């Protein structure tokens, strides 16, 4: 099947961001994509206000997501993104949603909050406590992850052991020393840990690296972006997953128990 990755810079205005998401959905659908992955935290972002994503949080039945759901009506394409959803006053949950044909088909509250490199996501965001589900797209089993989850192989391995063929990752990977190297290395590592495709969308504003990628089950990057807005397209092949697992049976050769959520 064909997958699309929509990379763009999120603005402080959720209405502008909704239009950008809708436009990418239209373009991906026209190009024949069965899956579109968009970046993390799409409601609002401001370089001068690190809390704007939380301040702008909307419920899943809010206007932002309703515009995207309306665009998806009548389409079999699945779109994956994350938004902040209000929890308690002044706090929110970083929530991944997968939408298709006017409905939310899966949701996932980010497990691993980005408390690293002088940033503390948990200061205003509540973590999830449930492992994300798998979703079915055109015969592929797709596992869900969000940004900082990439640094924790246990989640990726868990999803692969549950049957995932593809891992999707909306992200807003913050710039910094060695961060681009970390991103590229970890995407390839998670593909190799699991013999899954990895489809990762990066936000490309002033503070984030962009660099969206599609990596195949043997760690080969088959589509990649630089720092500018772009719609990437790639074909992924179920037989490639089977071949990788025949050549590199790491899931079968494991000697450790399956990872469990603490």
């Amino acid at each position: 099947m064909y997958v699309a990755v929509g990379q763009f810079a999120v603005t402080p205005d959720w209405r502008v961001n909704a239009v950008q998401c809708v436009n990418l959905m239209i373009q991906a659908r026209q190009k024949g994509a069965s899956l579109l992955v968009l970046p993390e935290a799409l409601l609002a972002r401001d370089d001068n206000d690190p809390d704007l994503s939380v301040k702008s949080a909307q419920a899943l039945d809010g206007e932002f997501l309703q515009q995207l759901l309306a665009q998806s009506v009548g389409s079999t394409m699945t779109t994956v993104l994350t938004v902040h959803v209000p929890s308690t006053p002044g706090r929110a949950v970083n929530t991944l949603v997968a939408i298709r044909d006017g409905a939310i088909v899966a949701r996932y509250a980010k497990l691993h909050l980005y408390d690293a490199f002088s940033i503390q996501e948990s200061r205003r965001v509540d973590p999830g406590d449930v492992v994300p589900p798998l979703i079915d797209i055109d015969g592929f089993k797709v596992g869900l992850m969000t940004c900082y989850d990439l640094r924790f192989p246990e989640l990726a391995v868990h999803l692969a052991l549950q049957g995932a063929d593809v891992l999707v990752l909306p992200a807003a990977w913050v710039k910094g020393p060695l961060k681009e190297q970390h991103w590229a290395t970890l995407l390839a590592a998670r593909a190799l840990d699991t013999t899954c495709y990895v489809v990762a969308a990066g936000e490309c504003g002033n503070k984030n690296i962009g660099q969206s990628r599609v990596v195949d089950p043997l760690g080969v990057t088959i589509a990649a972006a630089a720092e500018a807005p772009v719609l990437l397209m790639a074909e992924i092949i179920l037989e490639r997953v089977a071949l990788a697992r025949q050549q590199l049976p790491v899931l079968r050769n494991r000697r450790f128990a399956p990872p469990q959520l603490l």
Side-chain angles (χ1 to χ4, degrees):
M1 72 174 176
Y2 286 93
V3 299
V5 184
Q7 174 173 297
F8 69 99
V10 177
T11 77
D13 187 337
W14 70 263
R15 294 170 181 83
V16 172
N17 302 326
V19 169
Q20 178 67 72
C21 291
V22 165
N23 288 338
L24 288 166
M25 291 171 70
I26 293 170
Q27 293 173 47
R29 185 176 178 181
Q30 290 173 342
K31 290 178 181 292
S34 297
L35 169 66
L36 169 65
V37 183
L38 298 173
E40 178 188 24
L42 295 182
L43 275 166
R45 193 183 302 280
D46 188 335
D47 293 344
N48 298 313
D49 184 357
D51 295 329
L52 185 62
S53 293
V54 173
K55 294 174 183 176
S56 301
Q58 293 187 17
L60 292 180
D61 60 358
E63 292 183 65
F64 177 89
L65 200 57
Q66 289 306 305
Q67 291 190 30
L68 276 61
L69 286 167
Q71 177 56 45
S72 74
V73 170
S75 172
T76 59
M77 183 180 77
T78 303
T79 301
V80 176
L81 63 144
T82 93
V83 293
H84 283 81
V85 176
S87 52
T88 55
R91 300 185 65 81
V93 176
N94 190 343
T95 304
L96 181 151
V97 292
I99 64 174
R100 182 194 306 146
D101 193 14
I104 297 172
V105 297
R107 65 187 69 181
Y108 158 58
K110 186 179 182 183
L111 284 171
H112 299 103
L113 300 184
Y114 186 52
D115 290 356
F117 293 107
S118 301
I119 294 176
Q120 189 176 16
E121 186 177 11
S122 65
R123 186 172 58 86
R124 298 288 296 270
V125 175
D126 299 323
D129 57 9
V130 177
V131 174
L134 301 182
I135 56 177
D136 294 306
I137 304 176
D138 285 6
F140 288 81
K141 297 284 188 181
V142 179
L144 310 174
M145 302 172 66
T146 301
C147 201
Y148 192 47
D149 285 337
L150 184 63
R151 291 189 181 271
F152 300 89
E154 297 86 356
L155 177 55
V157 170
H158 173 88
L159 293 168
L161 292 174
Q162 295 301 306
D165 309 298
V166 182
L167 303 174
V168 297
L169 185 88
W173 201 262
V174 181
K175 293 179 180 178
L178 301 178
K179 293 295 293 301
E180 293 181 2
Q181 179 183 345
H182 292 184
W183 172 251
T185 300
L186 289 164
L187 288 173
R190 294 298 81 83
L192 289 165
D193 288 341
T194 62
T195 48
C196 287
Y197 282 96
V198 178
V199 183
E203 200 267 347
C204 63
N206 293 328
K207 293 191 174 182
N208 296 322
I209 68 170
Q211 298 199 21
S212 299
R213 291 184 181 230
V214 181
V215 182
D216 90 348
L218 290 177
V220 178
T221 297
I222 60 173
E227 78 288 351
V230 69
L231 180 67
L232 286 181
M233 295 290 300
E235 184 179 15
I236 65 174
I237 303 167
L238 202 53
E239 289 77 13
R240 178 69 170 165
V241 178
L243 177 62
R245 291 177 178 175
Q246 178 184 350
Q247 295 176 329
L248 182 65
V250 289
L251 297 175
R252 193 166 68 243
N253 292 344
R254 291 169 34 259
R255 296 290 303 277
F256 284 84
Q260 297 295 316
L261 186 63
L262 293 174

